[in-house]
């Protein structure tokens, strides 16, 4: 790996202490999420929320987007937290649709198969031992493997494998798709899945992460020679800026590869990405949609990136040794972010809204889902809160 800078963390005084929140505070935050799930339960049993809300209300769509499983994952979290079978029943009723989607290859030309099947079928298997869900997730892992280029050692993000616009393009978001591959090796005993995931994460660390610990959103590899080509943004402000959610996918995803590989370098790398991210937050700790925008900007926030980063900081912190002085700092930073989300970024004052977190951005350059709710923001906010109220075993 090239030399990557660890910026000293600012706000050490603030992050040196946890915020004044207790379990009742977290339970109240979760109660609001459950209320929103309950109001959506009927509409989103056979259909799914669109990726982003429109006027803070999620349109209903079929299981065709990369985001369906964030809703199913919320149902599994709700089931785990409450023990109420109504959430389990709806989550289970959706598994057949995931099976059909992978068998018929419905909108599966994407690496997001990892997101889709970890939070639906792998979660079902881990929580309830559902064998059919396990087999479906293994089929999904096979499909994801089709996107792996041996020579370049990466999983292509989007589109046809032969499309010159997309060929050999890896993206930082893929970090969250790799757990499906590691898991597939664990349950099948076949090493090929984890080998591909290990190679991809190594290439992402080498080429997507820049020397200053910021990240490109996407990076092209030459699939014939295996050599690196160039970085490009897709959802960020510019090729050489750092898209906030991309950095958050890095912070949340590298520790998930650590979970399966035990490679401590991935934790050191996550510290570097985290410091870069935390050092560029405005005063209320909720990032603008690109980290080039600092306090006082007129640009929109991306609350979903804040929630994703909070999950990553909690995952990072739990693997650091007790004697690592940054262990508590990262945990405290996550708690401060969650407090800010709870106090100023939920839909609780918008009774018409079907979402949980407001002020998120899907894709600013393409004018999609700007200052709306998005379903992965809702999922990761819920996951982060679950992480702080119980000893949660990741679905990842
Ligand atoms: N993974 C796509 C996004 O974060 O918008």
């Amino acid at each position: 790996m090239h030399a990557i800078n660890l910026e000293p963390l600012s706000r050490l005084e603030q992050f040196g202490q946890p915020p004044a929140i207790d379990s009742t505070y977290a339970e109240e935050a979760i109660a609001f999420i459950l209320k929103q799930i309950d109001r959506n339960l009927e509409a989103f049993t056979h259909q799914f929320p669109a990726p982003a809300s429109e006027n803070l209300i999620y349109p209903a769509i079929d299981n065709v987007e990369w985001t369906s499983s964030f809703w199913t994952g919320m149902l599994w979290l709700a089931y785990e937290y409450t023990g109420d079978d109504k959430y389990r029943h709806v989550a289970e009723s959706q598994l057949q649709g995931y099976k059909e989607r992978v068998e018929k290859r419905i909108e599966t030309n994407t690496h997001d198969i990892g997101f889709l099947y970890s939070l639906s079928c792998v979660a079902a298997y881990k929580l309830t031992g559902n064998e059919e869900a396990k087999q479906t997730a293994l089929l999904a892992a096979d499909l994801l493997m089709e996107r792996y280029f041996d020579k370049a050692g990466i999983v292509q993000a989007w589109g046809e494998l032969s499309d010159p616009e997309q060929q050999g393009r890896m993206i930082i978001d893929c970090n969250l798709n790799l757990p499906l591959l590691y898991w597939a090796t664990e349950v099948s005993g076949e090493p090929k899945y984890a080998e591909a995931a290990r190679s991809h994460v190594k290439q992402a660390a080498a080429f997507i992460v820049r020397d200053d610990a910021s990240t490109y959103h996407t990076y092209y590899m030459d699939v014939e020679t295996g050599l690196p080509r160039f970085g490009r943004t897709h959802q960020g402000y510019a090729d050489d800026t750092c898209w906030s959610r991309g950095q958050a996918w890095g912070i949340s995803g590298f520790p998930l590869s650590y979970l399966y590989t035990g490679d401590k370098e991935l934790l050191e790398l996550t510290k570097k990405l985290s410091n870069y991210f935390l050092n560029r937050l405005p005063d209320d700790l909720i990032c603008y949609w690109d980290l080039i925008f600092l306090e006082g900007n007129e640009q929109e926030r991306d609350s979903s990136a804040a929630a994703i980063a909070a999950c990553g900081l909690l995952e990072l912190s739990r693997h650091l040794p007790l004697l690592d002085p940054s262990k508590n700092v990262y945990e405290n930073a996550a708690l401060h972010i969650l407090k800010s989300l709870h106090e100023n970024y939920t839909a609780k004052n918008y009774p018409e809204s079907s979402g949980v977190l407001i002020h998120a951005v899907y894709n600013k350059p393409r004018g999609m889902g700007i200052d709306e709710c998005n379903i992965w923001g809702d999922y990761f906010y819920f996951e982060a809160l679950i992480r702080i109220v119980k000893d949660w075993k990741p679905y990842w």
Side-chain angles (χ1 to χ4, degrees):
M1 209 188 293
H2 57 112
I4 298 170
N5 187 31
L6 176 67
E7 283 183 358
L9 193 56
S10 57
R11 291 201 176 89
L12 265 182
E13 208 170 306
Q14 185 181 11
F15 296 154
Q17 301 298 325
I21 62 175
D22 58 12
S23 53
T24 311
Y25 184 97
E27 281 155 16
E28 273 170 28
I30 291 174
F32 175 68
I33 301 174
L34 293 173
K35 181 168 160 257
Q36 296 303 78
I37 292 177
D38 286 347
R39 78 185 268 170
N40 288 327
L41 205 55
E42 204 181 314
F44 300 141
T45 291
H46 303 295
Q47 288 200 292
F48 291 80
S53 64
E54 289 173 13
N55 300 317
L56 304 185
I57 297 169
Y58 287 116
I61 60 168
D62 291 336
N63 185 354
V64 291
E65 270 286 358
W66 67 279
T67 50
S68 311
S69 60
F70 296 115
W71 167 246
T72 313
M74 288 176 78
L75 296 173
W76 285 125
L77 291 175
Y79 167 62
E80 246 197 288
Y81 179 72
T82 63
D84 191 330
D85 280 334
K86 72 179 174 188
Y87 303 114
R88 175 176 172 170
H89 288 149
V90 177
E92 283 179 335
S93 75
Q94 295 175 348
L95 296 178
Q96 205 52 36
Y98 285 99
K99 186 169 181 223
E100 202 176 298
R101 183 162 176 184
V102 72
E103 283 176 351
K104 296 191 179 156
R105 296 180 177 240
I106 301 166
E107 302 293 338
T108 52
N109 237 349
T110 164
H111 66 157
D112 293 321
I113 292 165
F115 279 115
L116 283 167
Y117 287 86
S118 289
L119 296 181
S120 59
C121 297
V122 174
Y125 174 65
K126 287 186 175 177
L127 292 176
T128 71
N130 185 321
E131 271 300 315
E132 195 179 9
K134 172 181 155 189
Q135 294 308 328
T136 304
L138 283 171
L139 284 180
D142 283 332
L143 205 52
L144 188 52
M145 284 297 287
E146 291 179 16
R147 308 188 67 75
Y148 180 70
F149 281 98
D150 230 357
K151 191 96 184 184
I154 60 109
V155 175
Q156 181 179 316
W158 301 310
E160 295 290 336
L161 300 178
S162 56
D163 176 356
E165 270 299 303
Q166 300 299 345
Q167 193 180 65
R169 190 182 207 185
M170 61 171 162
I171 77 173
I172 185 71
D173 323 28
C174 191
N175 274 1
L176 278 284
N177 292 316
L178 303 179
L180 179 69
L181 297 178
Y182 295 117
W183 170 85
T185 287
E186 269 191 6
V187 299
S188 71
E190 283 265 1
K192 64 178 180 190
Y193 306 100
E195 281 167 10
R198 277 173 185 266
S199 170
H200 183 102
V201 82
K202 189 169 135 270
Q203 297 295 65
F207 300 114
I208 293 188
V209 181
R210 304 182 184 112
D211 293 350
D212 64 357
S214 68
T215 46
Y216 288 110
H217 181 190
T218 89
Y219 197 96
Y220 285 88
M221 303 294 292
D222 187 318
V223 298
E224 302 297 335
T225 64
L227 291 173
R229 294 178 66 206
F230 53 86
R232 278 272 181 279
T233 198
H234 180 70
Q235 279 156 268
Y237 178 73
D239 290 339
D240 60 353
T241 66
C242 182
W243 177 47
S244 302
R245 194 158 66 251
Q247 193 77 3
W249 290 134
I251 294 167
S252 60
F254 284 120
L256 294 179
S257 272
Y258 169 78
L259 259 188
Y260 289 94
T261 63
D263 177 358
K264 291 197 170 60
E265 285 289 312
L266 293 169
L267 298 183
E268 291 309 309
L269 182 63
T270 307
K271 287 182 181 176
K272 295 173 183 177
L273 266 69
S274 300
N275 287 13
Y276 187 94
F277 180 85
L278 294 168
N279 284 345
R280 285 160 184 79
L281 298 183
D283 292 346
D284 74 356
L285 305 179
I286 308 305
C287 53
Y288 294 93
W289 64 275
D290 191 292
L291 294 177
I292 197 169
F293 304 121
L294 304 174
E295 174 64 30
N297 223 279
E298 296 295 308
Q299 294 285 326
E300 294 80 12
R301 308 300 179 113
D302 182 6
S303 59
S304 75
I308 294 163
C311 287
L313 291 165
L314 292 171
E315 187 68 30
L316 167 65
S317 168
R318 85 184 175 101
H319 297 298
L320 294 177
L322 285 176
L323 290 177
D324 185 326
S326 61
K327 182 179 177 75
N328 290 338
V329 171
Y330 292 124
E331 184 177 293
N332 292 341
L335 294 173
H336 281 285
I337 290 171
L338 286 176
K339 180 169 184 282
S340 184
L341 287 172
H342 174 58
E343 290 177 2
N344 293 308
Y345 287 85
T346 75
K348 59 180 180 282
N349 295 326
Y350 296 86
E352 72 284 6
S353 178
S354 55
V356 175
L357 283 188
I358 55 174
H359 300 315
V361 169
Y362 182 6
N363 188 333
K364 177 83 193 244
R366 285 165 186 76
M368 293 157 68
I370 298 171
D371 201 20
E372 289 285 349
C373 310
N374 59 44
I375 193 63
W376 57 91
D378 294 358
Y379 170 81
F380 283 100
Y381 177 56
F382 195 8
E383 183 189 297
L385 288 166
I386 291 291
R387 282 173 178 272
I388 66 171
V389 296
K390 76 191 283 282
D391 178 19
W392 185 68
K393 305 275 178 300
Y395 306 155
W396 304 104

